[in-house]
């Protein structure tokens, strides 16, 4: 095989794995193996720029920046859909169609109505050419770079696809991914996104496609458009699209008559909450494409299709009171305490009110009968007030001016929706929240210490910041509620062990606003020590890859604070890792490019996994057994004699971990 053939084979293989994983939901290799192959392809492509292919799976990670999205006309207009809300509406629609078509039998395709952002994607010769947003229906924005990062969108088709066609679908963000994104935002003190739909459509217009690549977006397709397509019915089109590699939800159903359509609607009205993404109705389409042609379009929508909107699950109930929660970063969140009520299968007692603006906009008052709806969020939200039921003596809600926990006057920064309690060091929920964040698994991962115990320690005046944890004595812990000798021992041991946590995670654990896991890694890699970060200027920080002004400003503020510096000095004194360990410094490079390593035995400075990662981070490959293709064997203690023998036979250098460290630091 020549290089080009190898490249193509790898690309095809990776495309197939993407398809298995993202479209079929049925991966056949591990993520790790996938990453290895992707890396192999990346290296090969780097060596052979002459074979660059914009549709290579390596291009899926994004990186292209679009400053201004180009406006392009749709070759075929993107219409809206008429809505219907009842059986009668649907029967009327059927009658109108029947009147135009005459008394012919009609079949219908029923599909769920996916709630996201519509997209039109053009393919030519089986390759993704262009993806355009709906815009005003006549023209939209070219978002090709961003769409290519969504792995469910095929960049190369398979089977007997037509030479040229468009396909339409919806870009969505499944609940699980949405919640994960929000969890990460909450962890660094950012405001979470309101709902999956807006987040999905916002993602399409991000300038940095690498950002889009990180979002767990999905693409569900529902219609083929083009001349002379090899299909006679809409349903056939769905099946073909599926064969060519598109993700077409299998819930789509061919109904022989209106009764079957109604059955489909009734079924999904009850079961739609079992879907992993949001749906807001059913789209019914007359199946025969000739019939569709004959029916044509109104000014705004096709006559051959109609959306049936599910009734949003909504109830009304009384707002008993509003309470205000104080988060780890001091952000205030108003929460509605409701008269308990059944909604979408659960009893709802509380609803989110977001912020002061929201309360003011809806003029929500205590004692009001409010409408509560459950969207994609975990916590339901209040969407309005039943003014007819407002008590005569009701009063406009006055947002609190002082912190409910520490009575400090609240602040609200220019352009921010939330109020904040500025009492960073004296406000109990902020103090407890920060320590709770410090001990979480992704941060210091302190075993034997949980969130509730942190509150207990604080309430007993044993800790007021995370540095205090390292001064805790067993005798202080044992007398506490639900504590005993053994649990105290575990806690102390867990705290002691956290001194081994690497710097990048310590940096994340400090809870600097906007410094999440990724940013912490970037900063640690760039500056190597807390002192270097603390003395960096705003400009310095902004120049670091992916660090924006908001983050930089927050870092500066954190280190400007005397108290923070003092706490960090204490952490240093206790032996917490506040710099990157020189020996384990495995900065990314390509010094090992083209070299294959086999790792064997037990190591002192690395775990085996870390050593393998270091090899890969520096461009090398990890082989599983010694062969003629191996360049080096990295040997630790207890390396098997058979392996040693084999390396000798093949004349492969056997190096120690220190040799290896030297090698990558050269
Ligand atoms: P509307 O925005 O209310 O006019 O509804 C039309 C939109 O519904 C289309 O632009 C599509 O993006 C979206 N939609 C979601 N699911 C489907 C589906 N299965 N078939 C057609 N359109 C759909
Ligand atoms: Zn406070």
């Amino acid at each position: 095989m020549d290089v080009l053939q190898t490249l193509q084979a790898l690309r095809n293989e990776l495309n197939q794995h993407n398809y298995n994983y993202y479209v079929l939901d049925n991966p056949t290799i591990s993520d790790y193996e996938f990453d290895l192959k992707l890396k192999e392809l990346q290296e090969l492509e780097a060596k052979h720029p002459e074979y660059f292919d914009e549709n290579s799976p390596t291009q899926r990670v994004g990186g292209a920046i679009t400053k201004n999205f180009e406006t392009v006309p749709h070759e075929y207009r993107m219409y809206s859909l008429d809505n219907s809300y009842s059986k009668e509406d649907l029967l009327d629609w059927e009658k109108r169609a029947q009147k135009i078509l005459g008394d012919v039998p009609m079949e219908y395709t029923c599909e769920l109505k996916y709630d996201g952002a519509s997209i039109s994607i053009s393919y030519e010769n089986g390759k993704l050419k262009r993806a355009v947003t709906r815009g005003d229906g006549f023209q939209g924005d070219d978002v090709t770079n961003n769409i290519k990062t969504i792995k469910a969108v095929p960049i190369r088709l398979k089977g007997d696809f037509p030479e040229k066609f468009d396909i339409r679908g919806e870009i969505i963000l499944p609940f699980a991914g949405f919640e994960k994104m929000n969890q990460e935002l909450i962890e660094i003190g950012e405001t979470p996104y309101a709902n999956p739909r807006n987040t999905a459509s916002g993602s399409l217009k991000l300038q940095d496609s690498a950002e889009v690549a990180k979002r767990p977006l999905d693409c569900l397709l529902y219609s083929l458009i083009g001349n002379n397509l090899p299909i006679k019915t809409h349903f056939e089109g769905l099946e073909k699209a599926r064969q060519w590699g598109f993700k077409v939800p299998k819930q789509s159903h061919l109904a022989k008559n209106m009764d079957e359509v109604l059955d489909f609607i009734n079924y999904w009205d009850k079961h739609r909450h079992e879907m992993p993404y949001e749906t807001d109705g059913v789209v019914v389409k007359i199946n025969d494409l000739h019939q569709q042609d004959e029916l044509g379009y109104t000014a705004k929508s096709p006559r051959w299709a109609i959306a049936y909107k599910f009734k949003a699950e909504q109830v009304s109930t009384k707002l008993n009171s509003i309470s205000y929660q104080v988060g780890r970063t001091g952000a205030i969140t108003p929460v509605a305490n409701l008269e308990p009520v059944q909604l979408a299968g659960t009893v709802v007692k509380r609803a989110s009110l977001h912020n002061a603006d929201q309360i003011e906009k809806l003029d929500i008052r205590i004692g009001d009968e409010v409408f509560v709806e459950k969207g994609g969020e975990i916590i339901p939200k209040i969407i309005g007030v039943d003014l007819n039921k407002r008590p005569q003596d009701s009063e406009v809600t006055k947002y609190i001016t002082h912190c409910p926990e520490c009575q400090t006057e609240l602040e609200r920064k220019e352009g921010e929706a939330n109020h904040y309690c500025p009492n960073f060091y004296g406000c109990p929920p902020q103090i407890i929240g920060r320590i709770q964040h410090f001990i979480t698994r992704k941060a210091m991962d302190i075993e034997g210490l949980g969130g509730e115990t942190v509150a207990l320690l604080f309430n007993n005046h044993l800790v007021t910041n995370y540095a205090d944890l390292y001064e805790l004595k067993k005798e202080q812990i044992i007398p506490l509620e639900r504590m005993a000798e053994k649990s105290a021992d575990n806690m102390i041991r867990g705290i002691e062990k956290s001194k081994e946590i690497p710097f990048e995670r310590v940096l994340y654990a400090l809870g600097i606003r906007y410094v999440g896991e990724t940013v912490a890694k970037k900063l640690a890699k760039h500056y190597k020590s807390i002192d270097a970060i603390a003395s960096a200027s705003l400009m310095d920080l902004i120049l670091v890859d992916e660090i924006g002004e908001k983050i930089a400003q927050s870092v500066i503020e954190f280190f400007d604070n005397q108290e923070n510096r003092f706490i960090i000095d204490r952490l240093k004194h206790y032996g917490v890792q506040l710099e990157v360990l020189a020996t384990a410094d495995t900065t990314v490079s390509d010094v090992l490019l083209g070299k294959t390593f086999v790792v064997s035995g037990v190591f002192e400075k690395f775990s085996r996994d870390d050593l393998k990662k270091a090899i890969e981070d520096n461009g090398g490959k990890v082989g599983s057994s010694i062969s003629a293709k191996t360049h080096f064997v990295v040997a630790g203690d207890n390396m098997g004699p058979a392996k040693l023998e084999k390396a000798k036979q093949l004349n492969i250098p056997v190096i120690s971990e220190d040799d290896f460290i030297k090698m990558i630091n050269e």
Side-chain angles (χ1 to χ4, degrees):
M1 259 203 305
D2 65 12
V3 175
L4 187 57
Q5 282 171 324
T6 314
L7 271 173
Q8 300 297 29
L10 259 175
R11 284 170 182 163
N12 289 342
E13 189 185 348
L14 286 163
N15 278 334
Q16 180 66 34
H17 287 308
N18 268 329
Y19 174 76
N20 293 345
Y21 189 103
Y22 291 99
V23 179
L24 299 184
D25 208 2
N26 185 19
T28 54
I29 60 169
S30 70
D31 293 357
Y32 177 71
E33 285 169 295
F34 181 89
D35 290 345
L36 281 186
K37 284 193 199 295
L38 189 66
K39 211 161 212 162
E40 192 181 336
L41 178 59
Q42 270 162 345
E43 280 162 17
L44 207 55
E45 287 181 345
K47 268 194 239 151
H48 296 278
E50 69 275 23
Y51 296 134
F52 174 79
D53 177 0
E54 57 174 6
N55 283 336
S56 164
T58 51
Q59 302 304 303
R60 296 263 200 187
V61 294
I65 306 278
T66 315
K67 282 271 180 260
N68 293 301
F69 293 96
E70 192 192 346
T71 307
V72 290
H74 292 296
E75 195 174 337
Y76 302 90
R77 182 173 157 191
M78 286 182 91
Y79 284 91
S80 284
L81 288 171
D82 277 343
N83 288 327
S84 63
Y85 301 91
S86 65
K87 182 177 164 186
E88 288 68 42
D89 290 350
L90 281 172
L91 292 174
D92 283 349
W93 169 72
E94 185 188 35
K95 236 183 250 147
R96 286 198 300 275
Q98 202 89 64
K99 214 167 150 189
I100 298 175
L101 295 177
D103 206 7
V104 293
M106 293 193 287
E107 290 185 339
Y108 308 90
T109 308
C110 303
E111 292 157 55
L112 288 170
K113 190 166 189 289
Y114 322 116
D115 206 10
S118 23
I119 193 78
S120 180
I121 317 178
S122 311
Y123 284 84
E124 274 175 40
N125 301 315
K127 285 191 209 161
L128 191 160
K129 260 271 148 346
R130 183 132 89 170
V132 184
T133 62
R134 173 155 122 181
D136 62 3
F138 296 98
Q139 53 182 24
D141 291 325
D142 183 334
V143 289
T144 312
N145 287 336
N146 287 348
I147 293 300
K148 272 190 191 169
T149 67
I150 302 172
K151 317 285 189 308
V153 176
I155 35 184
R156 260 171 199 287
L157 304 181
K158 30 174 157 215
D160 58 340
F161 46 80
E163 202 178 299
K164 187 171 179 298
F165 67 96
D166 287 359
I167 188 161
R168 303 245 160 110
E170 200 83 357
I171 304 296
I172 56 144
L173 187 54
F175 291 129
F178 173 71
E179 266 151 35
K180 187 161 167 272
M181 279 173 69
N182 269 352
Q183 205 46 50
E184 282 163 13
L185 286 177
I186 290 166
E187 257 164 38
I188 58 167
E190 287 260 32
T191 322
Y193 295 109
N195 61 53
R197 187 202 329 120
N198 293 354
T199 316
S201 73
S203 303
L204 296 189
K205 301 295 284 291
L206 290 175
Q207 295 191 336
D208 182 357
S209 62
E211 270 317 298
V212 186
K214 282 189 209 149
R215 298 193 172 184
L217 298 163
D218 206 341
C219 178
L220 310 176
L221 295 135
Y222 53 70
S223 120
L224 292 175
I225 315 263
N227 280 324
N228 301 322
L229 295 179
I231 48 171
K232 290 203 167 54
T233 68
H234 177 70
F235 198 72
E236 258 176 58
L238 296 183
E239 283 175 334
K240 287 275 184 208
R242 210 175 271 137
Q243 286 163 15
W244 301 335
F246 294 100
K247 189 160 184 175
V248 178
K250 58 180 187 311
Q251 287 76 17
S252 307
H253 172 74
L254 182 60
K256 297 267 176 249
N257 51 49
M258 200 35 97
D259 280 339
E260 285 186 30
V261 171
L262 295 170
D263 287 345
F264 184 89
I265 289 174
N266 287 335
Y267 179 84
W268 284 108
D269 198 7
K270 286 196 201 76
H271 293 270
R272 65 188 166 117
H273 296 291
E274 294 158 20
M275 296 298 288
Y277 44 81
E278 189 145 37
T279 54
D280 61 342
V282 167
V283 184
V284 186
K285 298 168 187 168
I286 289 175
N287 195 36
D288 187 295
L289 297 185
H290 282 303
Q291 292 181 352
Q292 286 192 4
D293 275 346
E294 219 172 310
L295 288 166
Y297 298 81
T298 68
K300 194 177 134 278
S301 39
R303 289 198 185 85
W304 45 263
I306 192 159
Y308 175 91
K309 291 273 188 146
F310 292 133
K311 277 178 222 40
E313 299 221 31
Q314 206 186 71
V315 285
S316 78
T317 188
K318 191 168 154 225
L319 173 62
N320 288 330
S321 65
I322 298 176
S323 45
Y324 297 87
Q325 291 177 346
V326 187
R328 163 168 75 81
T329 55
I332 308 289
T333 322
V335 179
N337 300 305
L338 306 167
E339 195 58 37
V341 64
Q342 266 309 114
L343 174 64
T346 53
V347 177
V348 173
K349 299 193 194 95
R350 288 145 68 82
S352 153
L353 287 168
H354 299 293
N355 51 49
D357 292 343
Q358 185 73 5
I359 295 176
E360 197 183 313
K361 199 172 103 203
L362 298 174
D363 186 18
I364 296 170
R365 305 181 187 187
I366 292 169
D368 272 344
E369 190 73 15
V370 291
F371 297 109
V372 184
E373 200 178 283
K374 210 164 188 178
E377 310 83 70
I378 325 167
I379 310 178
K381 62 182 171 201
I382 292 184
I383 51 158
V385 173
D386 189 347
L387 290 176
N388 295 322
K389 295 198 182 148
R390 173 164 281 173
Q392 297 228 299
D393 59 349
S394 89
E395 283 175 39
V396 176
T397 301
K398 281 200 213 71
Y399 204 81
I400 49 166
T401 52
H402 289 73
C403 176
E405 302 279 347
C406 73
Q407 281 69 49
T408 305
E409 191 173 351
L410 300 181
E411 284 176 1
R412 193 181 200 182
K413 277 196 197 147
E414 192 58 38
E416 283 197 7
N418 284 321
H419 286 72
Y420 282 88
C421 167
N423 187 11
F424 201 69
Y425 284 101
C427 185
Q430 296 191 53
I431 298 171
I432 296 173
R434 265 196 312 274
I435 305 175
Q436 285 172 338
H437 169 75
F438 186 80
I439 64 167
T440 49
R441 207 175 43 80
K442 286 196 240 162
M444 302 302 277
D445 192 17
I446 298 188
E447 261 173 58
L449 179 56
E452 280 182 25
T453 312
V454 169
L456 194 66
L457 292 171
F458 172 79
N459 292 331
N460 284 281
H461 313 289
L462 292 176
V463 295
T464 52
N465 59 54
Y466 33 67
D468 290 343
L469 292 173
Y470 296 90
E471 297 269 6
L472 279 175
K473 304 271 171 319
K474 195 168 147 185
E475 308 81 70
Q476 296 173 305
I477 303 169
I478 294 175
L480 298 178
E481 241 173 276
R482 277 168 299 152
M483 283 292 159
E485 172 117 16
K486 190 155 168 245
S487 41
D489 274 337
N490 283 344
M491 191 192 302
I492 300 274
R493 203 175 318 119
I495 293 169
E496 191 56 33
K497 222 173 143 227
S498 74
K499 294 178 184 171
E500 291 163 22
I501 296 291
F503 175 50
E504 58 182 42
R505 278 171 59 190
V506 178
L507 189 56
Y508 167 66
L510 296 180
I512 304 171
R513 199 162 171 214
Y514 306 132
V515 178
E517 270 183 293
T518 324
V519 171
K521 259 188 207 145
K522 290 258 145 77
L523 288 172
K525 201 161 256 175
H526 186 89
Y527 288 103
K528 308 253 188 323
S529 76
I530 199 88
D531 294 337
I533 298 176
S535 54
S537 70
L538 187 71
M539 236 9 237
D540 258 3
L541 287 160
I542 292 176
L543 289 177
V544 180
D545 199 25
E546 279 187 51
I547 307 294
E549 183 161 349
K550 191 168 82 171
I551 302 172
Q553 190 60 48
S554 164
V555 172
I556 296 278
E557 269 170 35
F558 184 86
F559 289 104
D560 271 352
N561 184 308
Q562 258 327 109
E563 190 115 15
N564 284 337
R565 284 182 177 256
F566 181 59
I567 290 176
I568 285 168
D569 280 342
R570 283 179 58 201
L571 290 177
K572 220 185 269 177
H573 169 76
Y574 301 133
V576 172
Q577 305 291 322
L578 288 166
E579 54 186 33
V580 176
L581 271 192
T583 45
D585 180 4
T586 59
T587 31
V588 176
S589 77
D590 51 11
V591 291
L592 306 182
L593 207 65
K595 301 274 186 291
T596 301
F597 291 76
V598 169
V599 171
S600 180
V602 182
F603 300 90
E604 223 166 79
K605 290 173 181 147
F606 291 99
S607 74
R608 240 140 91 94
D609 282 345
D610 285 346
L611 181 55
K612 286 182 182 171
K613 188 169 170 298
I615 293 171
E616 282 163 9
D617 281 349
N618 289 284
K621 266 201 274 183
V622 180
S624 51
S625 62
I626 299 173
S627 74
K629 289 195 192 121
T630 311
H631 294 95
F632 295 96
V633 175
V634 191
D637 286 343
N638 298 331
M639 175 175 169
K643 282 194 177 166
L644 205 56
E645 188 55 36
K646 178 129 193 226
K648 242 188 223 153
Q649 254 175 28
L650 293 169
N651 244 337
I652 298 165
V654 177
I655 63 172
S656 70
E657 68 183 313
D658 284 326
D659 295 334
F660 173 75
I661 290 167
K662 260 191 229 138
M663 203 164 180
I664 55 175
N665 285 334
E666 247 160 32

